[in-house]
Amino acid sequence: MDLVESGSVGGFFALRTAAPDTPGAHVPLARLYAAESGPDLVPLTARVDRVGDRLGAPERRVAASIAHLGLAARLWSIALGPAALFGRFPDLDPADLSWDSALTSPDDLWWAGTATRPATVADLREAVQLAHLVPLHEAFRRDGRISPRLLWGNAGSALAGALRELTRWARAQGRPEVAARAAELVSGLFAHPDLARTVEGPALRRTSCCLYYRCPTGGLCGDCVFDHPPARARPTGLETGPKSP
């Protein structure tokens, strides 16, 4: 399993394995997931603050959604990339995977583990969805009010985005078997009730909105549920339309 080759797919697929120059800046995700409040939750709170300041987000849940989407994309990518390329992927135990929330996107992740897992739908679901996304969603909800539907919509969008990047890379490299393996794995992952119907159609267009359009310079993402940006002036916490988060 060559994580350097996996990282060549794109920045979201890169995984740091050597200790960083300032390892104290990286917090094990297990500590963040376990934190109800206090210093272990600070990196997530600070990340949301930083994203909100950079984008001029009008509500905290907008900044939280964008911060969450970026981290979810990283978690799916560092597992799905090696799984599709080599048939195995790193065992991303939250105690061995550390995050530096101060660095910009793609989120910086340092894996201190050595074990790997077979590239099966069940193993990917256990290693990413259950071990990371479920507790990550709870951590974001402790930081502020954000709906579970929005968070799972972000998770589905992030998974679909990882598949698109892998498919593009595989076509460019003449590796159709990588694209086929990735598509099969992702199809199985989307069968879970939490991820089912978060995206739809052959283009894997999401069925909820990440709220990026609410930012002053925001627009629609490539897979957005909306065809045109809704008006930004809305009562706090409300969206129109049957597919709002």
Side-chain angles (χ1 to χ4, degrees), residues 9-217:
V9 176
F12 279 81
F13 293 80
L15 180 58
R16 182 193 296 274
T17 55
D21 294 335
T22 54
H26 286 73
V27 176
L29 286 172
R31 283 171 47 190
L32 186 148
Y33 298 158
E36 293 291 334
S37 60
D40 284 341
L41 200 59
V42 166
L44 186 146
T45 301
R47 181 66 165 189
V48 174
D49 290 341
R50 192 172 294 108
V51 171
D53 290 343
R54 187 175 73 245
L55 297 179
E59 301 173 64
R60 186 165 185 81
R61 70 175 185 139
V62 176
S65 174
I66 303 306
H68 169 266
L69 181 57
L71 189 50
R74 288 286 279 128
L75 291 166
W76 280 127
S77 298
I78 60 175
L80 186 63
L85 278 162
F86 310 113
R88 299 194 69 82
F89 66 96
D91 183 8
L92 302 172
D93 188 307
D96 293 329
L97 191 63
S98 297
W99 176 47
D100 184 351
S101 66
L103 299 182
T104 57
S105 183
D107 297 72
D108 191 74
L109 295 175
W110 167 34
W111 181 52
T114 57
T116 64
R117 302 181 69 142
T120 68
V121 171
D123 279 272
L124 282 166
R125 191 183 313 288
E126 183 178 345
V128 180
Q129 182 177 340
L130 301 182
H132 285 281
L133 294 181
V134 169
L136 180 65
H137 290 185
E138 291 303 314
F140 268 93
R141 294 183 71 192
R142 286 193 290 273
D143 174 78
R145 187 175 61 84
I146 186 167
S147 78
R149 183 166 186 246
L150 188 154
L151 292 171
W152 282 114
N154 281 353
S157 175
L159 178 57
L163 174 60
R164 290 189 195 95
E165 287 301 307
L166 269 168
T167 301
R168 279 195 283 266
W169 181 91
R171 288 173 177 166
Q173 299 296 318
R175 299 283 302 277
E177 77 284 358
V178 172
R181 188 179 298 124
E184 182 179 1
L185 291 169
V186 169
S187 177
L189 290 166
F190 273 123
H192 190 276
D194 286 334
L195 291 168
R197 295 179 296 281
T198 57
V199 299
E200 61 183 13
L204 300 179
R205 186 176 182 179
R206 65 182 293 166
T207 58
S208 63
C209 179
C210 71
L211 305 180
Y212 175 61
Y213 78 89
R214 286 181 175 269
C215 299
T217 58

